[in-house]
Coordinates of all heavy atoms in Angstrom, one line a residue:
M1 N 182.0 153.8 40.8 CA 183.2 153.7 41.7 C 183.3 155.0 42.5 O 183.0 156.1 41.9 CB 184.5 153.6 40.8 CG 185.7 153.4 41.7 SD 187.1 153.0 40.7 CE 187.7 154.6 40.3
R2 N 183.6 154.9 43.7 CA 183.7 156.1 44.6 C 185.1 156.0 45.3 O 185.4 155.0 45.9 CB 182.6 156.1 45.6 CG 182.5 157.3 46.5 CD 181.3 157.3 47.3 NE 181.3 158.4 48.2 CZ 180.7 159.5 47.9 NH1 180.1 159.7 46.8 NH2 180.7 160.5 48.8
I3 N 185.8 157.1 45.2 CA 187.1 157.2 45.9 C 187.0 158.3 46.9 O 186.6 159.4 46.6 CB 188.2 157.6 44.9 CG1 188.2 156.5 43.7 CG2 189.6 157.7 45.6 CD1 189.2 156.8 42.6
S4 N 187.3 157.9 48.2 CA 187.2 158.9 49.2 C 188.5 159.0 50.0 O 189.3 158.0 50.0 CB 186.1 158.6 50.2 OG 186.3 157.3 50.7
G5 N 188.8 160.0 50.7 CA 190.0 160.2 51.4 C 190.3 161.7 51.6 O 189.4 162.5 51.6
K6 N 191.5 162.0 51.8 CA 191.9 163.4 52.1 C 192.8 163.9 51.0 O 194.0 164.0 51.2 CB 192.5 163.6 53.4 CG 191.5 163.3 54.6 CD 192.1 163.6 55.9 CE 191.1 163.4 57.0 NZ 191.5 163.8 58.3
P7 N 192.4 164.1 49.7 CA 193.3 164.5 48.7 C 193.8 165.9 49.0 O 193.0 166.8 49.3 CB 192.4 164.5 47.4 CG 191.0 164.6 47.9 CD 191.0 164.0 49.3
S8 N 195.1 166.1 48.8 CA 195.7 167.4 48.9 C 195.4 168.1 50.3 O 195.5 169.3 50.4 CB 195.3 168.4 47.8 OG 195.5 167.8 46.5
G9 N 195.1 167.3 51.3 CA 194.9 167.8 52.6 C 193.6 168.6 52.7 O 193.4 169.3 53.7
V10 N 192.7 168.6 51.8 CA 191.5 169.3 51.8 C 190.5 168.7 52.8 O 189.8 169.4 53.5 CB 190.9 169.4 50.4 CG1 189.5 170.1 50.4 CG2 191.8 170.2 49.5
G11 N 190.5 167.4 52.8 CA 189.6 166.7 53.8 C 188.2 166.5 53.2 O 187.3 166.3 53.9
S12 N 188.1 166.5 51.9 CA 186.8 166.3 51.3 C 186.7 164.9 50.6 O 187.7 164.3 50.4 CB 186.5 167.4 50.3 OG 187.4 167.3 49.2
T13 N 185.5 164.5 50.2 CA 185.3 163.3 49.5 C 185.1 163.6 48.0 O 184.4 164.5 47.7 CB 184.0 162.6 50.0 OG1 184.2 162.3 51.4 CG2 183.8 161.3 49.3
Q14 N 185.8 162.9 47.2 CA 185.6 163.1 45.7 C 185.0 161.9 45.1 O 185.2 160.7 45.5 CB 187.0 163.3 45.1 CG 187.7 164.5 45.5 CD 189.1 164.6 44.8 OE1 189.5 163.7 44.1 NE2 189.7 165.8 44.9
S15 N 184.2 162.1 44.1 CA 183.5 161.0 43.4 C 184.1 160.9 42.0 O 184.1 162.0 41.3 CB 182.0 161.2 43.4 OG 181.4 160.2 42.6
A16 N 184.5 159.8 41.6 CA 185.0 159.6 40.2 C 183.9 159.8 39.1 O 184.2 160.2 38.0 CB 185.7 158.3 40.1
T17 N 182.7 159.5 39.5 CA 181.6 159.6 38.5 C 180.6 160.7 38.8 O 179.6 160.7 38.2 CB 180.9 158.3 38.4 OG1 180.4 157.9 39.7 CG2 181.8 157.2 37.9
G18 N 180.9 161.6 39.7 CA 180.0 162.6 40.1 C 179.0 162.1 41.2 O 179.2 161.1 41.8
P19 N 178.0 162.9 41.4 CA 177.1 162.5 42.5 C 176.3 161.3 42.2 O 176.0 161.0 41.0 CB 176.1 163.7 42.6 CG 176.3 164.5 41.4 CD 177.6 164.2 40.8
K20 N 176.1 160.5 43.2 CA 175.4 159.2 43.1 C 173.9 159.5 42.9 O 173.3 160.1 43.8 CB 175.7 158.3 44.3 CG 175.3 156.9 44.1 CD 175.8 156.1 45.3 CE 175.7 154.6 45.1 NZ 176.2 153.9 46.2
P21 N 173.3 159.0 41.8 CA 171.9 159.2 41.7 C 171.1 158.4 42.7 O 171.5 157.4 43.2 CB 171.6 158.7 40.3 CG 172.7 157.8 39.9 CD 173.9 158.2 40.7
S22 N 169.9 158.9 43.0 CA 169.0 158.2 44.0 C 168.6 156.9 43.4 O 168.4 156.8 42.2 CB 167.8 159.0 44.4 OG 167.0 159.3 43.2
G23 N 168.4 155.9 44.2 CA 168.1 154.6 43.7 C 169.2 153.8 43.1 O 169.0 152.8 42.5
A24 N 170.4 154.3 43.3 CA 171.6 153.6 42.8 C 171.9 152.3 43.6 O 171.5 152.3 44.8 CB 172.8 154.5 42.8
P25 N 172.5 151.3 43.0 CA 172.7 150.1 43.8 C 173.7 150.3 44.9 O 174.6 151.1 44.8 CB 173.3 149.1 42.7 CG 173.8 150.0 41.6 CD 172.9 151.3 41.7
A26 N 173.5 149.5 45.9 CA 174.4 149.6 47.1 C 175.8 149.1 46.7 O 176.0 148.3 45.8 CB 173.9 148.8 48.2
S27 N 176.8 149.7 47.3 CA 178.2 149.3 47.0 C 178.9 148.9 48.3 O 178.5 149.4 49.4 CB 178.9 150.3 46.2 OG 178.9 151.5 47.0
A28 N 179.9 148.1 48.2 CA 180.6 147.6 49.4 C 182.1 147.8 49.1 O 182.6 147.8 48.0 CB 180.3 146.2 49.6
P29 N 182.9 148.1 50.2 CA 184.3 148.3 50.0 C 184.9 147.0 49.5 O 184.6 145.9 49.9 CB 184.8 148.6 51.4 CG 183.6 148.8 52.3 CD 182.5 148.3 51.6
V30 N 185.8 147.2 48.5 CA 186.5 146.1 47.9 C 188.0 146.0 48.4 O 188.5 145.0 48.8 CB 186.5 146.1 46.4 CG1 187.4 145.0 45.8 CG2 185.1 146.0 45.9
A31 N 188.6 147.1 48.4 CA 190.0 147.2 48.9 C 190.3 148.4 49.6 O 189.7 149.5 49.3 CB 190.9 147.1 47.7
S32 N 191.1 148.4 50.6 CA 191.5 149.6 51.4 C 192.9 149.8 51.1 O 193.8 149.0 51.3 CB 191.3 149.3 52.9 OG 191.7 150.5 53.6
V33 N 193.2 151.0 50.6 CA 194.6 151.4 50.2 C 195.3 151.9 51.4 O 196.5 151.5 51.6 CB 194.5 152.5 49.1 CG1 195.9 153.0 48.7 CG2 193.7 152.0 47.9
S34 N 194.7 152.7 52.2 CA 195.4 153.2 53.4 C 194.3 153.4 54.5 O 193.1 153.1 54.2 CB 196.1 154.5 53.2 OG 195.2 155.5 53.0
G35 N 194.6 153.9 55.6 CA 193.6 154.0 56.7 C 192.4 154.8 56.3 O 191.3 154.6 56.7
S36 N 192.6 155.9 55.4 CA 191.4 156.7 55.1 C 191.0 156.6 53.7 O 190.0 157.2 53.3 CB 191.8 158.2 55.4 OG 192.8 158.6 54.6
D37 N 191.7 155.9 52.8 CA 191.3 155.7 51.4 C 190.6 154.4 51.2 O 190.9 153.4 51.8 CB 192.6 155.7 50.5 CG 193.3 157.0 50.5 OD1 192.7 158.0 50.8 OD2 194.5 157.0 50.3
A38 N 189.6 154.4 50.3 CA 188.8 153.2 50.1 C 188.3 153.3 48.7 O 188.0 154.3 48.1 CB 187.6 153.1 51.0
V39 N 188.1 152.1 48.1 CA 187.5 151.9 46.7 C 186.3 151.1 46.9 O 186.3 150.0 47.6 CB 188.5 151.2 45.8 CG1 187.9 151.0 44.4 CG2 189.8 152.1 45.6
Q40 N 185.2 151.5 46.3 CA 183.9 150.7 46.3 C 183.5 150.4 44.9 O 183.6 151.2 44.0 CB 182.9 151.6 47.0 CG 183.2 151.9 48.5 CD 182.1 152.7 49.1 OE1 181.3 153.3 48.4 NE2 182.0 152.7 50.4
V41 N 183.1 149.1 44.8 CA 182.6 148.6 43.5 C 181.2 148.1 43.7 O 180.9 147.4 44.7 CB 183.5 147.5 43.0 CG1 183.0 146.9 41.7 CG2 184.9 148.0 42.8
S42 N 180.3 148.5 42.8 CA 178.9 148.1 42.9 C 178.7 146.6 42.8 O 179.6 145.9 42.3 CB 178.0 148.8 41.9 OG 178.3 148.3 40.6
S43 N 177.6 146.1 43.4 CA 177.4 144.7 43.3 C 177.2 144.2 41.9 O 177.6 143.1 41.5 CB 176.1 144.3 44.2 OG 175.0 145.0 43.7
E44 N 176.6 145.1 41.0 CA 176.5 144.8 39.6 C 177.8 144.6 39.0 O 178.0 143.7 38.1 CB 175.7 145.8 38.9 CG 174.2 145.8 39.2 CD 173.8 146.5 40.5 OE1 174.7 147.2 41.1 OE2 172.6 146.4 40.9
A45 N 178.8 145.5 39.3 CA 180.1 145.4 38.7 C 180.8 144.1 39.1 O 181.5 143.4 38.3 CB 181.0 146.6 39.1
R46 N 180.6 143.7 40.4 CA 181.2 142.4 40.9 C 180.6 141.3 40.1 O 181.2 140.3 39.8 CB 181.0 142.3 42.4 CG 182.0 143.2 43.2 CD 182.0 142.9 44.6 NE 180.7 143.0 45.3 CZ 180.2 144.1 45.8 NH1 180.9 145.2 45.8 NH2 179.0 144.1 46.4
L47 N 179.3 141.3 39.9 CA 178.6 140.2 39.2 C 179.0 140.1 37.8 O 179.2 139.0 37.3 CB 177.0 140.5 39.3 CG 176.1 139.4 38.8 CD1 176.4 138.1 39.6 CD2 174.7 139.8 38.9
V48 N 179.2 141.2 37.1 CA 179.8 141.2 35.8 C 181.1 140.6 35.7 O 181.5 139.8 34.9 CB 179.8 142.6 35.2 CG1 180.6 142.7 33.9 CG2 178.3 143.1 34.9
A49 N 182.0 140.9 36.7 CA 183.3 140.4 36.7 C 183.3 138.9 36.9 O 184.0 138.1 36.3 CB 184.1 141.0 37.9
V50 N 182.4 138.4 37.8 CA 182.3 136.9 38.0 C 181.8 136.3 36.7 O 182.3 135.2 36.3 CB 181.3 136.6 39.2 CG1 180.9 135.2 39.2 CG2 181.9 137.1 40.5
A51 N 180.8 136.9 36.0 CA 180.3 136.3 34.8 C 181.4 136.3 33.7 O 181.5 135.3 33.0 CB 179.1 137.1 34.3
Q52 N 182.2 137.3 33.6 CA 183.3 137.4 32.6 C 184.3 136.3 32.9 O 184.8 135.6 32.0 CB 183.9 138.7 32.6 CG 183.1 139.8 32.0 CD 183.7 141.2 32.1 OE1 184.4 141.5 33.0 NE2 183.3 142.0 31.2
E53 N 184.6 136.0 34.2 CA 185.6 135.0 34.5 C 185.0 133.6 34.2 O 185.8 132.8 33.6 CB 185.9 135.0 36.0 CG 186.8 136.2 36.5 CD 186.9 136.3 38.0 OE1 186.6 135.3 38.7 OE2 187.5 137.3 38.4
A54 N 183.7 133.4 34.4 CA 183.1 132.1 34.1 C 183.1 131.9 32.5 O 183.4 130.8 32.0 CB 181.7 132.1 34.6
L55 N 182.8 133.0 31.8 CA 182.8 132.8 30.3 C 184.1 132.6 29.7 O 184.3 132.1 28.7 CB 182.1 134.1 29.7 CG 180.6 134.2 29.9 CD1 180.1 135.5 29.4 CD2 179.9 133.0 29.1
A56 N 185.2 133.1 30.4 CA 186.5 133.0 29.9 C 187.0 131.5 29.8 O 187.8 131.2 28.9 CB 187.5 133.7 30.8
V57 N 186.4 130.6 30.6 CA 186.8 129.2 30.5 C 185.9 128.4 29.7 O 186.1 127.2 29.4 CB 186.8 128.6 32.0 CG1 187.9 129.3 32.8 CG2 185.5 128.7 32.6
V58 N 184.8 129.0 29.1 CA 183.9 128.3 28.3 C 184.4 128.4 26.8 O 184.6 129.5 26.4 CB 182.4 128.8 28.4 CG1 181.5 128.2 27.4 CG2 181.9 128.7 29.8
P59 N 184.5 127.3 26.1 CA 185.0 127.4 24.7 C 183.9 128.0 23.8 O 182.7 127.9 24.1 CB 185.2 125.9 24.3 CG 184.4 125.1 25.3 CD 184.3 125.9 26.6
D60 N 184.4 128.7 22.8 CA 183.4 129.4 21.9 C 182.6 128.3 21.1 O 181.5 128.6 20.7 CB 184.2 130.3 20.9 CG 184.7 131.5 21.6 OD1 184.2 131.9 22.6 OD2 185.7 132.1 21.1
I61 N 183.3 127.2 20.8 CA 182.6 126.2 20.0 C 182.6 124.9 20.8 O 183.6 124.4 21.3 CB 183.3 125.9 18.7 CG1 183.3 127.2 17.8 CG2 182.7 124.8 17.9 CD1 184.2 127.1 16.6
R62 N 181.4 124.3 21.0 CA 181.3 123.1 21.8 C 181.5 121.9 20.8 O 180.5 121.5 20.2 CB 180.0 123.0 22.5 CG 179.9 124.1 23.6 CD 178.7 124.1 24.4 NE 177.6 124.5 23.5 CZ 176.3 124.5 23.9 NH1 176.0 124.0 25.1 NH2 175.3 124.9 23.1
T63 N 182.7 121.5 20.6 CA 183.0 120.5 19.5 C 182.2 119.2 19.6 O 181.9 118.6 18.6 CB 184.5 120.2 19.5 OG1 185.0 119.8 20.7 CG2 185.3 121.5 19.0
E64 N 182.0 118.8 20.9 CA 181.2 117.5 21.0 C 179.8 117.6 20.5 O 179.3 116.7 19.9 CB 181.2 117.1 22.5 CG 180.4 117.9 23.5 CD 181.1 119.2 23.9 OE1 182.3 119.3 23.7 OE2 180.5 120.0 24.6
K65 N 179.2 118.8 20.7 CA 177.8 119.0 20.1 C 177.9 119.1 18.6 O 177.0 118.6 17.9 CB 177.2 120.3 20.7 CG 176.7 120.1 22.1 CD 175.7 121.1 22.5 CE 175.1 120.8 23.8 NZ 173.8 120.3 23.7
V66 N 178.9 119.8 18.1 CA 179.0 120.0 16.6 C 179.2 118.6 16.0 O 178.6 118.3 15.0 CB 180.2 120.9 16.3 CG1 180.5 120.9 14.8 CG2 179.9 122.3 16.8
E67 N 180.1 117.8 16.5 CA 180.3 116.5 16.0 C 179.0 115.6 16.0 O 178.7 114.9 15.1 CB 181.4 115.8 16.7 CG 182.8 116.4 16.5 CD 183.2 116.4 15.0 OE1 182.9 115.4 14.3 OE2 183.7 117.4 14.5
A68 N 178.3 115.7 17.1 CA 177.0 114.9 17.2 C 176.0 115.3 16.2 O 175.4 114.4 15.6 CB 176.4 115.1 18.6
I69 N 175.9 116.6 15.9 CA 175.0 117.1 14.9 C 175.5 116.6 13.5 O 174.7 116.3 12.6 CB 174.8 118.6 15.0 CG1 174.0 118.9 16.2 CG2 174.1 119.1 13.7 CD1 173.9 120.4 16.5
K70 N 176.8 116.7 13.3 CA 177.4 116.2 12.0 C 177.0 114.8 11.7 O 176.6 114.4 10.6 CB 178.9 116.4 11.9 CG 179.4 117.8 11.7 CD 180.9 117.8 11.6 CE 181.4 119.2 11.4 NZ 182.9 119.3 11.4
V71 N 177.1 113.9 12.7 CA 176.8 112.5 12.6 C 175.3 112.4 12.2 O 175.0 111.6 11.3 CB 177.2 111.7 13.9 CG1 176.6 110.4 13.9 CG2 178.7 111.7 14.1
R72 N 174.5 113.1 12.9 CA 173.0 113.0 12.6 C 172.7 113.5 11.2 O 171.8 113.0 10.6 CB 172.3 113.8 13.7 CG 172.3 113.1 15.1 CD 171.6 113.8 16.1 NE 170.2 114.0 15.8 CZ 169.4 114.8 16.5 NH1 169.8 115.6 17.4 NH2 168.1 114.9 16.1
L73 N 173.4 114.6 10.8 CA 173.2 115.1 9.5 C 173.6 114.1 8.4 O 172.9 113.9 7.4 CB 174.0 116.4 9.2 CG 173.4 117.7 9.8 CD1 174.4 118.9 9.7 CD2 172.1 118.1 9.0
D74 N 174.8 113.5 8.6 CA 175.2 112.5 7.7 C 174.3 111.3 7.6 O 174.1 110.6 6.5 CB 176.6 112.0 8.0 CG 177.7 113.1 7.8 OD1 177.4 114.0 7.1 OD2 178.8 112.9 8.4
A75 N 173.6 111.0 8.7 CA 172.7 109.8 8.7 C 171.3 110.3 8.4 O 170.3 109.5 8.5 CB 172.7 109.2 10.1
D76 N 171.1 111.5 8.0 CA 169.8 112.1 7.6 C 168.8 111.9 8.8 O 167.6 111.7 8.6 CB 169.2 111.5 6.3 CG 168.2 112.3 5.7 OD1 168.2 113.6 5.9 OD2 167.3 111.8 5.0
A77 N 169.3 112.1 10.0 CA 168.5 111.9 11.2 C 168.4 113.2 11.9 O 167.9 113.3 13.1 CB 169.1 110.9 12.1
Y78 N 168.8 114.3 11.3 CA 168.7 115.6 12.0 C 167.6 116.5 11.3 O 167.8 116.9 10.1 CB 170.0 116.4 12.0 CG 170.0 117.7 12.7 CD1 169.9 117.7 14.1 CD2 170.2 118.9 12.0 CE1 169.9 118.9 14.8 CE2 170.2 120.1 12.7 CZ 170.0 120.1 14.1 OH 170.0 121.3 14.8
N79 N 166.5 116.7 11.9 CA 165.4 117.4 11.3 C 164.9 118.4 12.3 O 163.9 118.2 13.0 CB 164.3 116.4 11.0 CG 164.7 115.4 10.0 OD1 165.3 115.7 8.9 ND2 164.6 114.1 10.3
P80 N 165.6 119.5 12.4 CA 165.1 120.6 13.4 C 163.8 121.2 13.0 O 163.4 121.2 11.8 CB 166.2 121.6 13.4 CG 166.8 121.4 12.0 CD 166.7 120.0 11.7
D81 N 163.0 121.6 13.9 CA 161.7 122.3 13.7 C 162.0 123.7 13.2 O 162.5 124.5 14.0 CB 160.9 122.3 15.0 CG 159.6 123.0 14.9 OD1 159.2 123.4 13.8 OD2 158.9 123.1 15.9
G82 N 161.7 123.9 11.9 CA 162.0 125.3 11.3 C 161.4 126.4 12.0 O 161.9 127.5 12.2
E83 N 160.1 126.2 12.5 CA 159.4 127.3 13.2 C 160.0 127.6 14.5 O 160.2 128.8 14.9 CB 157.9 126.9 13.3 CG 157.2 127.0 12.0 CD 155.7 126.8 12.2 OE1 155.2 127.0 13.4 OE2 155.0 126.4 11.2
A84 N 160.5 126.6 15.2 CA 161.1 126.8 16.5 C 162.5 127.5 16.3 O 162.8 128.4 17.1 CB 161.4 125.4 17.2
V85 N 163.2 127.1 15.3 CA 164.5 127.8 15.0 C 164.2 129.3 14.7 O 164.9 130.2 15.2 CB 165.2 127.1 13.8 CG1 166.4 127.9 13.4 CG2 165.6 125.7 14.2
A86 N 163.2 129.6 13.8 CA 162.9 130.9 13.4 C 162.5 131.7 14.7 O 162.9 132.9 14.9 CB 161.8 131.0 12.4
A87 N 161.6 131.1 15.5 CA 161.2 131.8 16.7 C 162.4 132.1 17.6 O 162.4 133.2 18.2 CB 160.1 131.0 17.4
G88 N 163.3 131.2 17.7 CA 164.5 131.4 18.6 C 165.4 132.5 18.0 O 165.9 133.4 18.8
L89 N 165.5 132.6 16.7 CA 166.3 133.6 16.1 C 165.7 135.0 16.3 O 166.4 136.0 16.6 CB 166.5 133.4 14.6 CG 167.4 132.2 14.2 CD1 167.3 132.0 12.7 CD2 168.8 132.5 14.6
I90 N 164.4 135.1 16.2 CA 163.7 136.4 16.4 C 163.8 136.8 17.8 O 164.0 137.9 18.1 CB 162.2 136.2 15.9 CG1 162.1 136.1 14.4 CG2 161.4 137.4 16.4 CD1 160.8 135.7 13.9
K91 N 163.6 135.8 18.7 CA 163.7 136.1 20.2 C 165.1 136.7 20.5 O 165.2 137.6 21.2 CB 163.3 134.9 21.0 CG 163.3 135.1 22.5 CD 163.0 133.8 23.2 CE 163.0 134.0 24.7 NZ 162.6 132.8 25.4
E92 N 166.1 136.0 20.0 CA 167.5 136.4 20.3 C 167.7 137.8 19.7 O 168.3 138.7 20.3 CB 168.5 135.4 19.7 CG 169.9 135.8 19.9 CD 170.9 134.7 19.4 OE1 170.4 133.6 19.2 OE2 172.0 135.1 19.1
H93 N 167.2 138.0 18.5 CA 167.4 139.3 17.8 C 166.7 140.4 18.6 O 167.3 141.5 18.8 CB 166.8 139.3 16.4 CG 166.9 140.5 15.6 ND1 168.0 140.9 15.0 CD2 166.0 141.4 15.3 CE1 167.9 142.0 14.4 NE2 166.6 142.4 14.5
M94 N 165.5 140.2 19.1 CA 164.8 141.2 19.9 C 165.5 141.4 21.3 O 165.5 142.6 21.7 CB 163.3 140.8 20.1 CG 162.6 140.7 18.8 SD 162.4 142.2 17.9 CE 161.3 143.0 18.9
A95 N 166.0 140.4 21.8 CA 166.7 140.6 23.1 C 167.9 141.4 23.0 O 168.3 142.1 24.0 CB 167.0 139.2 23.7
K96 N 168.6 141.4 21.9 CA 169.8 142.2 21.7 C 169.4 143.7 21.3 O 170.3 144.5 21.1 CB 170.6 141.6 20.6 CG 171.3 140.3 21.1 CD 172.2 139.7 20.0 CE 172.8 138.5 20.5 NZ 173.6 137.9 19.4
G97 N 168.1 144.0 21.3 CA 167.7 145.4 21.0 C 167.8 145.8 19.6 O 167.9 147.0 19.3
R98 N 167.8 144.9 18.7 CA 167.9 145.2 17.2 C 166.5 145.2 16.7 O 166.1 144.3 15.9 CB 168.8 144.2 16.5 CG 170.2 144.2 17.0 CD 171.0 143.2 16.3 NE 172.3 143.1 16.9 CZ 173.1 142.1 16.8 NH1 172.7 141.0 16.3 NH2 174.3 142.1 17.4
H99 N 165.7 146.1 17.0 CA 164.3 146.2 16.6 C 164.1 146.8 15.2 O 163.0 146.7 14.7 CB 163.4 146.9 17.6 CG 163.5 146.4 19.0 ND1 162.7 146.7 20.0 CD2 164.4 145.6 19.6 CE1 163.0 146.1 21.1 NE2 164.1 145.4 20.9
S100 N 165.0 147.4 14.7 CA 164.8 148.1 13.4 C 165.3 147.3 12.3 O 166.0 146.4 12.3 CB 165.5 149.5 13.4 OG 166.9 149.3 13.8

């Protein structure tokens, strides 16, 4: 985030996070507070906000899938591939950075 303007009449630009490193993502103005004040949010931050909003409406448990699996379990018709399940668990574990 970068906040710019004329604080205390000095006429300088202040950065809330210090100097911007080279290779940093481009940012675009999101809101203008007054004629000379502006707030900028990186494109990654905007993308995270959109993802969070989308996840907020997704239920934690997909009851229709759970019920379908329960029916298959009761009918002894659910036979998942153990190796595929294990591979998926390992892949998920490694993706979360839990290597130790």
